[in-house]
Amino acid sequence: MKTYTFTEKKDTRSGFGAGMAELGRSHPDVVALCADLVASLKLDTFIKENPDRFIQCGIAEANMIGVAAGLTLNGLIPFATTFANFGSSRVLDQIRQAVAYSNKNVKICVSHAGLTLGEDGATHQVLEDISMMKALPGMTVINPCDFNQTKAATIAIADYEGPVYLRFGRPVVPNFTPADQPFEIGKAILLNEGADVSIFATGHMVWQALEAGKLLAEQGVEAEITNIHTIKPLDKEAILASVSKTGCAVTAEEHQMNGGLGDSVAQVLALNHPAPLEMVAVNDSFGESGTPEQLMEKYGLTAASIVAKALAVIQRKK
Amino acid sequence: MILKNKRMETSELAKVASQVRRDIVRMVHGVASGHPGGSLGCTDVLVSLYFQAMNLKTDDQGSVVFDMSGSGEDLFFLSNGHISPVLYSVLARRGYFPVSELATFRKLNSRLQGHPATAEHLPGIRIASGSLGQGLSVAAGAAYGKKIRNDPHRVYCLMGDGEQQEGQIWEAAAFIPHRKLDNLIAIIDFNGQQIDGPTDVVLNNRDLGAKYEAFGWTVLHMDGNNLEEVASTLKAAQEAGGQGAPVCIIMKTEMGQGVDFMMHTHKWHGTAPNNEQLTAALAQLEETLSDY
């Protein structure tokens, strides 16, 4: 079993900010838009270095999405940024008509996704955005796991032509992805090989999956752990190759069970290779105020939950 | 017949407008659905824009050329996408696609979707519209992009007056003057009607001109069914632009203009004429450029 180490914990939103800073220097067509959340999105460096390529939109997210769509006509690459809740559910119709249906090269980049937003509570803790965004034809949906991967994803989507929803978060999490690892949209990353159970994790839950892998190993269970940073297009080949070997799977995500990564994996398995599946996700519930750690514990988004589901799903194998 | 690039004299626009109105009623009759009322009301301004006011990209022969970027030319966005018949007719008569294609409007496998869309790659369409309230924001983005690219051309956006009830309109209405997008000209089709009845009964917009002025726009008024006045007002709007403030034209129109029984009512907002009504309508509209 491969062991992953990290030198520091960092927030994924800072990875986005670092990616934007680099894009500001390397990609003259990249334009940043923000709806009154510049500091939260870590756009300070980009704005300082490229003041003419930053568009403050104020607290008017619907307009921001339309403006971004219009900017693409001039060959510009707009990165529209806000909190995940305000960049998905609040503007779903604008994204659907002006971005997805119109196939505009807009990058919707959102922070503070999920429960780990913490104390602000359920109004801001969007747990339905992956579901909404992946339902839109042509939309790419990415949920990277740490600082380095978020930075690499931010840079990668600038070179991809088409609408993208890039989701990241607020808390500091172990930064273990190699800084020089290129980001390949739609290409899952096999983190650990194992024969007993496949664990497919996305976003902040990837580190929890690695921790779960260690705990399972102590019980003699070999878990195969895959980082599904791109939920759409989903790396079906990687999922089927792994489950063909292990015969069962657990998904882990900081999102509703309805419409999330687990649903996507279930669809792939049901259509191609039916196998027992368990899901670690929020089960048809809104969040609440609390520290990120308390909330992840209360709603069962932990390494321990992944271990329990892994042991249960192995029992379901015939 | 399509018309190649020629900046028409205002006196010539009437014959194009008459043909476009024939196209509109024939298109909606042909598929027994669509929105003739607002289309007929906005015919004159669309004809004026595409045949006179706008600078459009053309080839050496003077035929219009479409590319999605729209750089180096004026752009038009239809925010109230349900009046697609008038836009399709004007685009076809201007030469963006074959006039014969108007017969496919709203039919299966057509590029002429019920509401304008880009998925079928119809030349002349740069954004989908139909869900109301979004076009002004898109136009703002296009105008902002032209500023960034130092492209001196203008962006036009047509909206409905009922559409002014959408909240996103007012986000854009605040954004555009704040960002000094003085290369943008918004036009509001002020026909006073919407699906459920008169606009001031359904949800009163009150004084739209005063509202836009308060938001920082230069506001002009015109009779949208008087070609001379449309031409002079568009010229005035162009001259008023470039001075730091965007321009909003409150355009008084008559829904159903040109067909007597479709005027002075909201009934023809989204209703197609039957065979008898088509005959009666066409009798009032001279065939000037030959029907498709």
Side-chain angles (χ1 to χ4, degrees), chain A residues 20 29-38 43 46-47 50-60 63-72 74 76-82, chain B residues 137 140-148 175-176 178-179 181:
Chain A
M20 287 303 290
D29 292 335
V30 166
V31 178
L33 299 87
C34 192
D36 197 34
L37 288 168
V38 163
L43 286 169
F46 181 93
I47 295 169
N50 313 277
D52 297 338
R53 287 196 277 142
F54 170 68
I55 302 174
Q56 172 62 266
C57 293
I59 311 167
N63 181 58
M64 177 172 73
I65 297 298
V67 169
L71 284 163
T72 64
N74 302 277
L76 297 165
I77 308 172
F79 280 60
T81 72
T82 180
Chain B
S137 300
Y144 208 123
K146 284 193 180 296
K147 292 275 186 188
I148 291 175
F175 177 85
I176 292 163
H178 185 68
R179 295 289 149 199
L181 300 180

Side-chain angles (χ1 to χ4, degrees), chain B:
Chain B
M1 186 196 292
I2 61 165
L3 294 167
K4 290 198 171 173
N5 188 37
K6 184 167 75 111
R7 195 171 293 265
M8 283 189 172
E9 295 301 319
T10 305
S11 58
E12 299 175 276
L13 296 175
K15 70 172 185 180
V16 182
S18 181
Q19 186 64 50
V20 167
R21 288 193 163 97
R22 284 183 70 87
D23 290 347
I24 291 167
V25 291
R26 293 182 70 234
M27 285 164 75
V28 297
H29 169 265
V31 68
S33 76
H35 298 78
S39 294
L40 292 167
C42 289
T43 296
D44 300 307
V45 73
L46 264 288
V47 168
S48 295
L49 284 167
Y50 275 89
F51 289 88
Q52 186 181 65
M54 285 169 67
N55 289 306
L56 300 169
K57 209 177 284 177
T58 59
D59 63 17
D60 294 342
Q61 280 73 49
S63 298
V64 288
V65 175
F66 177 75
D67 70 68
M68 183 54 84
S69 83
S71 62
E73 64 178 328
D74 291 340
L75 300 180
F76 173 79
F77 293 96
L78 181 68
S79 190
N80 47 336
H82 57 275
I83 67 165
S84 56
V86 62
L87 179 60
Y88 292 151
S89 170
V90 167
L91 289 175
R93 295 291 172 183
R94 193 66 185 78
Y96 282 97
F97 56 87
V99 172
S100 60
E101 210 168 330
L102 295 176
T104 71
F105 174 59
R106 281 184 170 242
K107 292 177 179 168
L108 193 63
N109 299 321
S110 173
R111 296 198 293 179
L112 280 60
Q113 292 292 297
H115 294 79
T118 60
E120 292 76 19
H121 306 291
L122 184 70
I125 307 296
R126 292 190 169 83
I127 195 84
S129 61
S131 177
L132 293 172
Q134 299 188 27
L136 191 58
S137 300
V138 175
Y144 208 123
K146 284 193 180 296
K147 292 275 186 188
I148 291 175
R149 296 298 201 199
N150 295 311
D151 178 347
H153 290 85
R154 296 185 180 87
V155 177
Y156 296 85
C157 178
L158 176 61
M159 302 174 275
D161 55 352
E163 185 179 13
Q164 303 302 307
Q165 293 157 3
E166 291 281 6
Q168 186 182 348
I169 292 286
W170 300 100
E171 294 184 5
F175 177 85
I176 292 163
H178 185 68
R179 295 289 149 199
K180 298 187 166 46
L181 300 180
D182 58 4
N183 54 345
L184 190 151
I185 297 173
I187 303 167
I188 298 173
D189 176 21
F190 184 52
N191 60 26
Q193 306 285 342
Q194 59 191 107
I195 295 178
D196 280 355
T199 300
D200 55 6
V201 173
V202 175
L203 182 58
N204 198 336
N205 282 315
R206 299 189 185 274
D207 190 340
L208 280 173
K211 286 160 86 170
Y212 273 84
E213 266 172 15
F215 275 71
W217 294 66
T218 298
V219 174
L220 303 176
H221 296 264
M222 72 179 178
D223 177 349
N225 296 131
N226 178 328
L227 284 165
E228 295 284 348
E229 193 170 322
V230 170
S232 62
T233 310
L234 288 176
K235 199 159 185 296
Q238 291 168 348
E239 286 162 2
Q243 296 169 29
V247 176
C248 176
I249 302 173
I250 311 288
M251 178 179 75
K252 182 83 186 75
T253 67
E254 189 60 55
M255 199 184 247
Q257 177 72 31
V259 178
D260 56 9
F261 61 88
M262 291 187 177
M263 295 165 69
H264 311 298
T265 171
H266 64 271
K267 187 188 153 200
W268 293 91
H269 167 88
T271 307
N274 62 26
N275 291 342
E276 277 177 26
Q277 290 161 335
L278 175 70
T279 305
L282 292 180
Q284 301 172 39
L285 301 166
E286 189 188 350
E287 182 180 351
T288 53
L289 300 172
S290 72
D291 289 338
Y292 62 83

Side-chain angles (χ1 to χ4, degrees), chain A residues 141-209:
Chain A
V141 182
I142 300 173
N143 188 25
C145 69
D146 63 10
F147 175 98
N148 283 342
Q149 189 165 70
T150 307
K151 181 182 175 188
T154 302
I155 294 164
I157 62 175
D159 293 323
Y160 165 82
E161 176 82 22
V164 174
Y165 183 78
L166 177 67
R167 175 195 211 243
F168 40 89
R170 182 188 186 203
V172 292
V173 292
N175 184 29
F176 68 94
T177 298
D180 59 351
Q181 184 180 83
F183 188 87
E184 289 184 67
I185 296 169
K187 183 82 180 146
I189 298 172
L190 182 58
L191 293 171
N192 253 321
E193 292 191 52
D196 298 326
V197 58
S198 301
I199 300 174
F200 302 113
T202 191
H204 294 144
M205 292 304 290
V206 173
W207 182 258
Q208 297 302 316

